[in-house]
Amino acid sequence: MYDYLIVGAGLFGAVFAHEATKKGKNCLVIDKRPHIGGNIYTENVEGIAVHKYGAHIFHTSNKEVWDYVQQFAEFNRYTNSPVANYHGEIYSMPFNMYTFNKMWGVVTPREAKQKIDEQVKASKIDNPQNLEEQAISLVGKDIYEKLVKGYTEKQWGRKATELPAFIIKRLPVRFTYDNNYFNDTYQGIPIGGYTGMVEKMLEGIDIRLGVDFFENREELQKEARTTVFTGMIDEYFNYTLGELEYRGLKFETELLEEKNYQGNAVVNYTDYETPYTRVIEHKHFEFGTQQKTVITREYPQKWVRGEEPYYPMNDDKNNSLYEKYRELADKETDVIFGGRLGQYKYYDMDDVIEAALNCAKEYI
């Protein structure tokens, strides 16, 4: 008899399992995929750690979380500095003085602010009601049209005027010559990839891979006193209140017979006509010098039941439905819901770890 059945060998499940095991609890971790690590799984291809489910750059300002992950991996000094490609024009991301110089020829922060202020004033947007209005009120119309609109509408499968304003608030805008995408204190990528980090978290813990919880749910739950569920909360309740919306992704990965394909780990394609949102060149995450390279194109797509969900669609309609599912979840006496899917929330990796640690403190 296990103390915990943990459904999902991703970051939330691995941290919870590690903490429970430290406290003398017996855990069984299952995952329907043939590997651990969930979406942060990396696999070795020609000596290159390939991020199988999209780019994952660890960043945090939470020293407790940063110190925690150091137990399981040595992190390199990678700094996320993506570039944007708009019909062959290259711009720095996030929006900074390099971006403003390329866009308008301005050199000083005062000139850049003046240009943005002129465009914001011309837009006559006093109270932004959607993503388009929020973006224009932050960076003006030129940057919105070239670097935000197309990428965002591809990413979410909706017009920017139909998306909530809060989505764009995550994007940094700075009036310095600084290409560092994140404002966090700590940043890097585990040397050799994330899989080894998760392996260390799960050392000595029973793991069963290729196991679908829903195919043998009753028998599996009988094996443990408590279930920690990190899958889709609506699926757990058999969609009885309706289906939550998610955004899907398709990945096309190629091994190329060249040393350097694009010169950067991440290139965002911000025009609407290019069907993919970004191209990842994995070797640059670890400053690789291999003779070959691996690239991945990311295509956002409509999510349908049975496919992997990647992003919750946190608009008012879906959040309202989630709250109803959460009320059902609160009535479950022997089930804990966690992670991006279990809590229907956009989490960065450090957020997932913090949430899992807090959950472990509360329940164990």
Side-chain angles (χ1 to χ4, degrees), residues 147-179:
L147 303 182
V148 177
K149 180 177 168 64
Y151 184 95
T152 302
E153 292 185 346
K154 286 189 291 187
Q155 179 78 1
W156 296 104
R158 293 184 188 174
K159 291 182 179 177
T161 52
E162 297 170 2
L163 289 165
F166 76 84
I167 292 177
I168 200 67
K169 289 178 181 177
R170 290 169 50 84
L171 197 60
V173 179
R174 45 175 89 101
F175 294 92
T176 56
Y177 288 91
D178 180 4
N179 288 329

PDB file of all heavy atoms in Angstrom, residues 147-179:
ATOM      1  N   LEU A 147       5.565  43.120 -34.133  1.00  0.00           N
ATOM      2  CA  LEU A 147       6.185  42.161 -33.214  1.00  0.00           C
ATOM      3  C   LEU A 147       5.219  41.485 -32.250  1.00  0.00           C
ATOM      4  O   LEU A 147       5.623  40.555 -31.548  1.00  0.00           O
ATOM      5  CB  LEU A 147       7.303  42.853 -32.416  1.00  0.00           C
ATOM      6  CG  LEU A 147       8.406  43.516 -33.255  1.00  0.00           C
ATOM      7  CD1 LEU A 147       9.462  44.120 -32.344  1.00  0.00           C
ATOM      8  CD2 LEU A 147       9.032  42.528 -34.225  1.00  0.00           C
ATOM      9  N   VAL A 148       3.973  41.938 -32.193  1.00  0.00           N
ATOM     10  CA  VAL A 148       3.026  41.355 -31.243  1.00  0.00           C
ATOM     11  C   VAL A 148       1.841  40.691 -31.933  1.00  0.00           C
ATOM     12  O   VAL A 148       1.513  39.529 -31.669  1.00  0.00           O
ATOM     13  CB  VAL A 148       2.512  42.427 -30.244  1.00  0.00           C
ATOM     14  CG1 VAL A 148       1.474  41.822 -29.297  1.00  0.00           C
ATOM     15  CG2 VAL A 148       3.669  43.017 -29.444  1.00  0.00           C
ATOM     16  N   LYS A 149       1.195  41.393 -32.796  1.00  0.00           N
ATOM     17  CA  LYS A 149      -0.099  40.974 -33.342  1.00  0.00           C
ATOM     18  C   LYS A 149      -0.067  39.593 -33.998  1.00  0.00           C
ATOM     19  O   LYS A 149      -0.800  38.681 -33.613  1.00  0.00           O
ATOM     20  CB  LYS A 149      -0.603  42.015 -34.350  1.00  0.00           C
ATOM     21  CG  LYS A 149      -1.960  41.681 -34.982  1.00  0.00           C
ATOM     22  CD  LYS A 149      -2.392  42.806 -35.909  1.00  0.00           C
ATOM     23  CE  LYS A 149      -3.566  42.406 -36.775  1.00  0.00           C
ATOM     24  NZ  LYS A 149      -4.792  42.135 -35.974  1.00  0.00           N
ATOM     25  N   GLY A 150       0.807  39.403 -34.989  1.00  0.00           N
ATOM     26  CA  GLY A 150       0.837  38.139 -35.730  1.00  0.00           C
ATOM     27  C   GLY A 150       1.223  36.964 -34.862  1.00  0.00           C
ATOM     28  O   GLY A 150       0.577  35.903 -34.900  1.00  0.00           O
ATOM     29  N   TYR A 151       2.267  37.149 -34.060  1.00  0.00           N
ATOM     30  CA  TYR A 151       2.735  36.071 -33.182  1.00  0.00           C
ATOM     31  C   TYR A 151       1.635  35.664 -32.203  1.00  0.00           C
ATOM     32  O   TYR A 151       1.361  34.477 -32.006  1.00  0.00           O
ATOM     33  CB  TYR A 151       3.969  36.545 -32.411  1.00  0.00           C
ATOM     34  CG  TYR A 151       4.606  35.487 -31.545  1.00  0.00           C
ATOM     35  CD1 TYR A 151       5.682  34.729 -32.016  1.00  0.00           C
ATOM     36  CD2 TYR A 151       4.150  35.232 -30.255  1.00  0.00           C
ATOM     37  CE1 TYR A 151       6.272  33.755 -31.234  1.00  0.00           C
ATOM     38  CE2 TYR A 151       4.733  34.261 -29.460  1.00  0.00           C
ATOM     39  CZ  TYR A 151       5.793  33.522 -29.947  1.00  0.00           C
ATOM     40  OH  TYR A 151       6.368  32.553 -29.160  1.00  0.00           O
ATOM     41  N   THR A 152       1.006  36.657 -31.595  1.00  0.00           N
ATOM     42  CA  THR A 152      -0.011  36.382 -30.575  1.00  0.00           C
ATOM     43  C   THR A 152      -1.223  35.687 -31.174  1.00  0.00           C
ATOM     44  O   THR A 152      -1.777  34.742 -30.584  1.00  0.00           O
ATOM     45  CB  THR A 152      -0.445  37.701 -29.897  1.00  0.00           C
ATOM     46  OG1 THR A 152       0.714  38.315 -29.333  1.00  0.00           O
ATOM     47  CG2 THR A 152      -1.458  37.440 -28.813  1.00  0.00           C
ATOM     48  N   GLU A 153      -1.663  36.130 -32.329  1.00  0.00           N
ATOM     49  CA  GLU A 153      -2.846  35.525 -32.950  1.00  0.00           C
ATOM     50  C   GLU A 153      -2.564  34.100 -33.422  1.00  0.00           C
ATOM     51  O   GLU A 153      -3.448  33.237 -33.370  1.00  0.00           O
ATOM     52  CB  GLU A 153      -3.349  36.417 -34.085  1.00  0.00           C
ATOM     53  CG  GLU A 153      -3.907  37.737 -33.560  1.00  0.00           C
ATOM     54  CD  GLU A 153      -4.533  38.624 -34.621  1.00  0.00           C
ATOM     55  OE1 GLU A 153      -4.326  38.361 -35.835  1.00  0.00           O
ATOM     56  OE2 GLU A 153      -5.230  39.590 -34.250  1.00  0.00           O
ATOM     57  N   LYS A 154      -1.338  33.833 -33.838  1.00  0.00           N
ATOM     58  CA  LYS A 154      -0.951  32.440 -34.143  1.00  0.00           C
ATOM     59  C   LYS A 154      -0.935  31.604 -32.871  1.00  0.00           C
ATOM     60  O   LYS A 154      -1.433  30.474 -32.835  1.00  0.00           O
ATOM     61  CB  LYS A 154       0.440  32.394 -34.793  1.00  0.00           C
ATOM     62  CG  LYS A 154       0.501  32.851 -36.222  1.00  0.00           C
ATOM     63  CD  LYS A 154       1.868  32.574 -36.848  1.00  0.00           C
ATOM     64  CE  LYS A 154       2.970  33.406 -36.289  1.00  0.00           C
ATOM     65  NZ  LYS A 154       4.254  33.246 -37.011  1.00  0.00           N
ATOM     66  N   GLN A 155      -0.328  32.160 -31.833  1.00  0.00           N
ATOM     67  CA  GLN A 155      -0.148  31.420 -30.588  1.00  0.00           C
ATOM     68  C   GLN A 155      -1.480  30.986 -29.976  1.00  0.00           C
ATOM     69  O   GLN A 155      -1.625  29.867 -29.510  1.00  0.00           O
ATOM     70  CB  GLN A 155       0.621  32.292 -29.590  1.00  0.00           C
ATOM     71  CG  GLN A 155       0.861  31.656 -28.233  1.00  0.00           C
ATOM     72  CD  GLN A 155       1.983  30.640 -28.233  1.00  0.00           C
ATOM     73  OE1 GLN A 155       2.612  30.399 -29.254  1.00  0.00           O
ATOM     74  NE2 GLN A 155       2.210  30.012 -27.110  1.00  0.00           N
ATOM     75  N   TRP A 156      -2.447  31.885 -29.976  1.00  0.00           N
ATOM     76  CA  TRP A 156      -3.696  31.619 -29.264  1.00  0.00           C
ATOM     77  C   TRP A 156      -4.847  31.244 -30.179  1.00  0.00           C
ATOM     78  O   TRP A 156      -5.924  30.862 -29.698  1.00  0.00           O
ATOM     79  CB  TRP A 156      -4.074  32.826 -28.400  1.00  0.00           C
ATOM     80  CG  TRP A 156      -3.059  33.057 -27.318  1.00  0.00           C
ATOM     81  CD1 TRP A 156      -2.097  34.012 -27.276  1.00  0.00           C
ATOM     82  CD2 TRP A 156      -2.881  32.272 -26.122  1.00  0.00           C
ATOM     83  NE1 TRP A 156      -1.333  33.894 -26.140  1.00  0.00           N
ATOM     84  CE2 TRP A 156      -1.798  32.830 -25.409  1.00  0.00           C
ATOM     85  CE3 TRP A 156      -3.540  31.160 -25.582  1.00  0.00           C
ATOM     86  CZ2 TRP A 156      -1.347  32.310 -24.193  1.00  0.00           C
ATOM     87  CZ3 TRP A 156      -3.101  30.651 -24.374  1.00  0.00           C
ATOM     88  CH2 TRP A 156      -2.009  31.218 -23.696  1.00  0.00           C
ATOM     89  N   GLY A 157      -4.666  31.380 -31.491  1.00  0.00           N
ATOM     90  CA  GLY A 157      -5.738  30.993 -32.418  1.00  0.00           C
ATOM     91  C   GLY A 157      -6.944  31.903 -32.358  1.00  0.00           C
ATOM     92  O   GLY A 157      -8.055  31.508 -32.712  1.00  0.00           O
ATOM     93  N   ARG A 158      -6.735  33.127 -31.900  1.00  0.00           N
ATOM     94  CA  ARG A 158      -7.822  34.109 -31.811  1.00  0.00           C
ATOM     95  C   ARG A 158      -7.293  35.481 -32.196  1.00  0.00           C
ATOM     96  O   ARG A 158      -6.097  35.745 -32.102  1.00  0.00           O
ATOM     97  CB  ARG A 158      -8.368  34.194 -30.375  1.00  0.00           C
ATOM     98  CG  ARG A 158      -9.073  32.950 -29.892  1.00  0.00           C
ATOM     99  CD  ARG A 158      -9.639  33.188 -28.503  1.00  0.00           C
ATOM    100  NE  ARG A 158     -10.160  31.958 -27.925  1.00  0.00           N
ATOM    101  CZ  ARG A 158     -10.606  31.859 -26.684  1.00  0.00           C
ATOM    102  NH1 ARG A 158     -10.576  32.926 -25.897  1.00  0.00           N
ATOM    103  NH2 ARG A 158     -11.079  30.720 -26.216  1.00  0.00           N
ATOM    104  N   LYS A 159      -8.203  36.362 -32.595  1.00  0.00           N
ATOM    105  CA  LYS A 159      -7.799  37.740 -32.861  1.00  0.00           C
ATOM    106  C   LYS A 159      -7.359  38.399 -31.552  1.00  0.00           C
ATOM    107  O   LYS A 159      -7.901  38.106 -30.486  1.00  0.00           O
ATOM    108  CB  LYS A 159      -8.965  38.510 -33.483  1.00  0.00           C
ATOM    109  CG  LYS A 159      -9.293  38.050 -34.893  1.00  0.00           C
ATOM    110  CD  LYS A 159     -10.419  38.870 -35.473  1.00  0.00           C
ATOM    111  CE  LYS A 159     -10.713  38.408 -36.906  1.00  0.00           C
ATOM    112  NZ  LYS A 159     -11.869  39.151 -37.479  1.00  0.00           N
ATOM    113  N   ALA A 160      -6.409  39.296 -31.660  1.00  0.00           N
ATOM    114  CA  ALA A 160      -5.890  39.969 -30.465  1.00  0.00           C
ATOM    115  C   ALA A 160      -6.984  40.745 -29.745  1.00  0.00           C
ATOM    116  O   ALA A 160      -6.930  40.932 -28.526  1.00  0.00           O
ATOM    117  CB  ALA A 160      -4.741  40.891 -30.848  1.00  0.00           C
ATOM    118  N   THR A 161      -7.999  41.194 -30.484  1.00  0.00           N
ATOM    119  CA  THR A 161      -9.106  41.935 -29.866  1.00  0.00           C
ATOM    120  C   THR A 161     -10.017  41.022 -29.055  1.00  0.00           C
ATOM    121  O   THR A 161     -10.848  41.496 -28.281  1.00  0.00           O
ATOM    122  CB  THR A 161      -9.940  42.649 -30.944  1.00  0.00           C
ATOM    123  OG1 THR A 161     -10.303  41.702 -31.949  1.00  0.00           O
ATOM    124  CG2 THR A 161      -9.147  43.790 -31.577  1.00  0.00           C
ATOM    125  N   GLU A 162      -9.844  39.701 -29.214  1.00  0.00           N
ATOM    126  CA  GLU A 162     -10.681  38.747 -28.478  1.00  0.00           C
ATOM    127  C   GLU A 162      -9.937  38.128 -27.299  1.00  0.00           C
ATOM    128  O   GLU A 162     -10.482  37.295 -26.576  1.00  0.00           O
ATOM    129  CB  GLU A 162     -11.147  37.622 -29.424  1.00  0.00           C
ATOM    130  CG  GLU A 162     -12.019  38.107 -30.572  1.00  0.00           C
ATOM    131  CD  GLU A 162     -12.253  37.017 -31.613  1.00  0.00           C
ATOM    132  OE1 GLU A 162     -11.767  35.887 -31.405  1.00  0.00           O
ATOM    133  OE2 GLU A 162     -12.915  37.302 -32.620  1.00  0.00           O
ATOM    134  N   LEU A 163      -8.683  38.538 -27.096  1.00  0.00           N
ATOM    135  CA  LEU A 163      -7.862  37.972 -26.022  1.00  0.00           C
ATOM    136  C   LEU A 163      -7.806  38.928 -24.835  1.00  0.00           C
ATOM    137  O   LEU A 163      -7.823  40.152 -25.009  1.00  0.00           O
ATOM    138  CB  LEU A 163      -6.441  37.705 -26.533  1.00  0.00           C
ATOM    139  CG  LEU A 163      -6.303  36.545 -27.517  1.00  0.00           C
ATOM    140  CD1 LEU A 163      -4.961  36.616 -28.233  1.00  0.00           C
ATOM    141  CD2 LEU A 163      -6.445  35.206 -26.801  1.00  0.00           C
ATOM    142  N   PRO A 164      -7.720  38.389 -23.609  1.00  0.00           N
ATOM    143  CA  PRO A 164      -7.670  39.259 -22.433  1.00  0.00           C
ATOM    144  C   PRO A 164      -6.387  40.081 -22.380  1.00  0.00           C
ATOM    145  O   PRO A 164      -5.320  39.628 -22.805  1.00  0.00           O
ATOM    146  CB  PRO A 164      -7.760  38.283 -21.255  1.00  0.00           C
ATOM    147  CG  PRO A 164      -7.366  36.950 -21.806  1.00  0.00           C
ATOM    148  CD  PRO A 164      -7.748  36.959 -23.254  1.00  0.00           C
ATOM    149  N   ALA A 165      -6.496  41.276 -21.824  1.00  0.00           N
ATOM    150  CA  ALA A 165      -5.366  42.210 -21.790  1.00  0.00           C
ATOM    151  C   ALA A 165      -4.200  41.679 -20.976  1.00  0.00           C
ATOM    152  O   ALA A 165      -3.037  41.977 -21.278  1.00  0.00           O
ATOM    153  CB  ALA A 165      -5.830  43.559 -21.236  1.00  0.00           C
ATOM    154  N   PHE A 166      -4.468  40.866 -19.941  1.00  0.00           N
ATOM    155  CA  PHE A 166      -3.393  40.491 -19.009  1.00  0.00           C
ATOM    156  C   PHE A 166      -2.297  39.655 -19.670  1.00  0.00           C
ATOM    157  O   PHE A 166      -1.170  39.628 -19.179  1.00  0.00           O
ATOM    158  CB  PHE A 166      -3.967  39.721 -17.807  1.00  0.00           C
ATOM    159  CG  PHE A 166      -4.335  38.288 -18.076  1.00  0.00           C
ATOM    160  CD1 PHE A 166      -3.381  37.284 -18.014  1.00  0.00           C
ATOM    161  CD2 PHE A 166      -5.644  37.948 -18.397  1.00  0.00           C
ATOM    162  CE1 PHE A 166      -3.714  35.965 -18.260  1.00  0.00           C
ATOM    163  CE2 PHE A 166      -5.986  36.625 -18.647  1.00  0.00           C
ATOM    164  CZ  PHE A 166      -5.018  35.641 -18.580  1.00  0.00           C
ATOM    165  N   ILE A 167      -2.578  38.994 -20.777  1.00  0.00           N
ATOM    166  CA  ILE A 167      -1.575  38.129 -21.417  1.00  0.00           C
ATOM    167  C   ILE A 167      -0.319  38.921 -21.782  1.00  0.00           C
ATOM    168  O   ILE A 167       0.800  38.471 -21.581  1.00  0.00           O
ATOM    169  CB  ILE A 167      -2.166  37.443 -22.673  1.00  0.00           C
ATOM    170  CG1 ILE A 167      -3.252  36.435 -22.273  1.00  0.00           C
ATOM    171  CG2 ILE A 167      -1.061  36.721 -23.453  1.00  0.00           C
ATOM    172  CD1 ILE A 167      -3.941  35.764 -23.450  1.00  0.00           C
ATOM    173  N   ILE A 168      -0.504  40.124 -22.295  1.00  0.00           N
ATOM    174  CA  ILE A 168       0.636  40.899 -22.800  1.00  0.00           C
ATOM    175  C   ILE A 168       1.422  41.547 -21.664  1.00  0.00           C
ATOM    176  O   ILE A 168       2.565  41.979 -21.841  1.00  0.00           O
ATOM    177  CB  ILE A 168       0.153  41.971 -23.806  1.00  0.00           C
ATOM    178  CG1 ILE A 168       1.310  42.462 -24.710  1.00  0.00           C
ATOM    179  CG2 ILE A 168      -0.494  43.144 -23.095  1.00  0.00           C
ATOM    180  CD1 ILE A 168       1.830  41.423 -25.657  1.00  0.00           C
ATOM    181  N   LYS A 169       0.855  41.594 -20.477  1.00  0.00           N
ATOM    182  CA  LYS A 169       1.542  42.234 -19.360  1.00  0.00           C
ATOM    183  C   LYS A 169       2.777  41.455 -18.921  1.00  0.00           C
ATOM    184  O   LYS A 169       3.632  41.978 -18.211  1.00  0.00           O
ATOM    185  CB  LYS A 169       0.581  42.412 -18.180  1.00  0.00           C
ATOM    186  CG  LYS A 169      -0.478  43.467 -18.431  1.00  0.00           C
ATOM    187  CD  LYS A 169      -1.436  43.587 -17.265  1.00  0.00           C
ATOM    188  CE  LYS A 169      -2.513  44.628 -17.556  1.00  0.00           C
ATOM    189  NZ  LYS A 169      -3.508  44.723 -16.472  1.00  0.00           N
ATOM    190  N   ARG A 170       2.895  40.178 -19.344  1.00  0.00           N
ATOM    191  CA  ARG A 170       4.073  39.365 -19.018  1.00  0.00           C
ATOM    192  C   ARG A 170       5.308  39.814 -19.791  1.00  0.00           C
ATOM    193  O   ARG A 170       6.419  39.465 -19.440  1.00  0.00           O
ATOM    194  CB  ARG A 170       3.797  37.892 -19.348  1.00  0.00           C
ATOM    195  CG  ARG A 170       2.804  37.207 -18.447  1.00  0.00           C
ATOM    196  CD  ARG A 170       2.406  35.853 -19.021  1.00  0.00           C
ATOM    197  NE  ARG A 170       3.540  35.042 -19.402  1.00  0.00           N
ATOM    198  CZ  ARG A 170       4.235  34.271 -18.577  1.00  0.00           C
ATOM    199  NH1 ARG A 170       3.908  34.223 -17.304  1.00  0.00           N
ATOM    200  NH2 ARG A 170       5.250  33.557 -19.010  1.00  0.00           N
ATOM    201  N   LEU A 171       5.108  40.559 -20.865  1.00  0.00           N
ATOM    202  CA  LEU A 171       6.210  40.878 -21.778  1.00  0.00           C
ATOM    203  C   LEU A 171       6.982  42.108 -21.286  1.00  0.00           C
ATOM    204  O   LEU A 171       6.408  43.180 -21.138  1.00  0.00           O
ATOM    205  CB  LEU A 171       5.652  41.145 -23.173  1.00  0.00           C
ATOM    206  CG  LEU A 171       6.627  41.102 -24.335  1.00  0.00           C
ATOM    207  CD1 LEU A 171       7.296  39.742 -24.445  1.00  0.00           C
ATOM    208  CD2 LEU A 171       5.893  41.429 -25.626  1.00  0.00           C
ATOM    209  N   PRO A 172       8.280  41.978 -21.023  1.00  0.00           N
ATOM    210  CA  PRO A 172       9.046  43.120 -20.505  1.00  0.00           C
ATOM    211  C   PRO A 172       9.245  44.211 -21.563  1.00  0.00           C
ATOM    212  O   PRO A 172       9.406  43.938 -22.754  1.00  0.00           O
ATOM    213  CB  PRO A 172      10.398  42.497 -20.124  1.00  0.00           C
ATOM    214  CG  PRO A 172      10.197  41.015 -20.163  1.00  0.00           C
ATOM    215  CD  PRO A 172       9.081  40.766 -21.119  1.00  0.00           C
ATOM    216  N   VAL A 173       9.198  45.454 -21.121  1.00  0.00           N
ATOM    217  CA  VAL A 173       9.553  46.612 -21.943  1.00  0.00           C
ATOM    218  C   VAL A 173      10.576  47.407 -21.145  1.00  0.00           C
ATOM    219  O   VAL A 173      10.312  47.796 -20.008  1.00  0.00           O
ATOM    220  CB  VAL A 173       8.321  47.502 -22.237  1.00  0.00           C
ATOM    221  CG1 VAL A 173       8.739  48.701 -23.082  1.00  0.00           C
ATOM    222  CG2 VAL A 173       7.223  46.704 -22.935  1.00  0.00           C
ATOM    223  N   ARG A 174      11.747  47.627 -21.736  1.00  0.00           N
ATOM    224  CA  ARG A 174      12.764  48.363 -20.971  1.00  0.00           C
ATOM    225  C   ARG A 174      13.508  49.356 -21.858  1.00  0.00           C
ATOM    226  O   ARG A 174      13.724  49.103 -23.053  1.00  0.00           O
ATOM    227  CB  ARG A 174      13.734  47.416 -20.272  1.00  0.00           C
ATOM    228  CG  ARG A 174      14.273  46.278 -21.043  1.00  0.00           C
ATOM    229  CD  ARG A 174      15.331  45.529 -20.198  1.00  0.00           C
ATOM    230  NE  ARG A 174      14.760  44.495 -19.371  1.00  0.00           N
ATOM    231  CZ  ARG A 174      14.796  43.199 -19.670  1.00  0.00           C
ATOM    232  NH1 ARG A 174      15.370  42.807 -20.787  1.00  0.00           N
ATOM    233  NH2 ARG A 174      14.278  42.310 -18.859  1.00  0.00           N
ATOM    234  N   PHE A 175      13.883  50.447 -21.249  1.00  0.00           N
ATOM    235  CA  PHE A 175      14.542  51.529 -21.975  1.00  0.00           C
ATOM    236  C   PHE A 175      16.048  51.502 -21.707  1.00  0.00           C
ATOM    237  O   PHE A 175      16.668  52.528 -21.406  1.00  0.00           O
ATOM    238  CB  PHE A 175      13.903  52.867 -21.593  1.00  0.00           C
ATOM    239  CG  PHE A 175      12.478  52.967 -22.047  1.00  0.00           C
ATOM    240  CD1 PHE A 175      11.441  52.584 -21.213  1.00  0.00           C
ATOM    241  CD2 PHE A 175      12.176  53.399 -23.327  1.00  0.00           C
ATOM    242  CE1 PHE A 175      10.126  52.645 -21.629  1.00  0.00           C
ATOM    243  CE2 PHE A 175      10.866  53.470 -23.770  1.00  0.00           C
ATOM    244  CZ  PHE A 175       9.831  53.083 -22.917  1.00  0.00           C
ATOM    245  N   THR A 176      16.618  50.321 -21.819  1.00  0.00           N
ATOM    246  CA  THR A 176      18.060  50.125 -21.713  1.00  0.00           C
ATOM    247  C   THR A 176      18.486  49.223 -22.869  1.00  0.00           C
ATOM    248  O   THR A 176      17.660  48.561 -23.495  1.00  0.00           O
ATOM    249  CB  THR A 176      18.436  49.442 -20.382  1.00  0.00           C
ATOM    250  OG1 THR A 176      17.715  48.202 -20.278  1.00  0.00           O
ATOM    251  CG2 THR A 176      18.104  50.323 -19.200  1.00  0.00           C
ATOM    252  N   TYR A 177      19.782  49.175 -23.129  1.00  0.00           N
ATOM    253  CA  TYR A 177      20.308  48.264 -24.147  1.00  0.00           C
ATOM    254  C   TYR A 177      20.571  46.917 -23.474  1.00  0.00           C
ATOM    255  O   TYR A 177      21.710  46.554 -23.183  1.00  0.00           O
ATOM    256  CB  TYR A 177      21.570  48.845 -24.778  1.00  0.00           C
ATOM    257  CG  TYR A 177      21.294  50.014 -25.692  1.00  0.00           C
ATOM    258  CD1 TYR A 177      21.305  51.326 -25.205  1.00  0.00           C
ATOM    259  CD2 TYR A 177      21.004  49.812 -27.034  1.00  0.00           C
ATOM    260  CE1 TYR A 177      21.044  52.403 -26.041  1.00  0.00           C
ATOM    261  CE2 TYR A 177      20.746  50.897 -27.879  1.00  0.00           C
ATOM    262  CZ  TYR A 177      20.758  52.176 -27.381  1.00  0.00           C
ATOM    263  OH  TYR A 177      20.488  53.247 -28.213  1.00  0.00           O
ATOM    264  N   ASP A 178      19.504  46.199 -23.197  1.00  0.00           N
ATOM    265  CA  ASP A 178      19.587  44.948 -22.444  1.00  0.00           C
ATOM    266  C   ASP A 178      18.699  43.905 -23.126  1.00  0.00           C
ATOM    267  O   ASP A 178      17.479  44.049 -23.156  1.00  0.00           O
ATOM    268  CB  ASP A 178      19.129  45.183 -20.998  1.00  0.00           C
ATOM    269  CG  ASP A 178      19.181  43.916 -20.144  1.00  0.00           C
ATOM    270  OD1 ASP A 178      19.651  42.876 -20.651  1.00  0.00           O
ATOM    271  OD2 ASP A 178      18.746  43.965 -18.980  1.00  0.00           O
ATOM    272  N   ASN A 179      19.331  42.853 -23.660  1.00  0.00           N
ATOM    273  CA  ASN A 179      18.594  41.807 -24.381  1.00  0.00           C
ATOM    274  C   ASN A 179      18.123  40.662 -23.493  1.00  0.00           C
ATOM    275  O   ASN A 179      17.553  39.695 -23.989  1.00  0.00           O
ATOM    276  CB  ASN A 179      19.478  41.210 -25.492  1.00  0.00           C
ATOM    277  CG  ASN A 179      19.672  42.180 -26.637  1.00  0.00           C
ATOM    278  OD1 ASN A 179      18.801  42.984 -26.922  1.00  0.00           O
ATOM    279  ND2 ASN A 179      20.821  42.114 -27.273  1.00  0.00           N
TER     280      ASN A 179
END
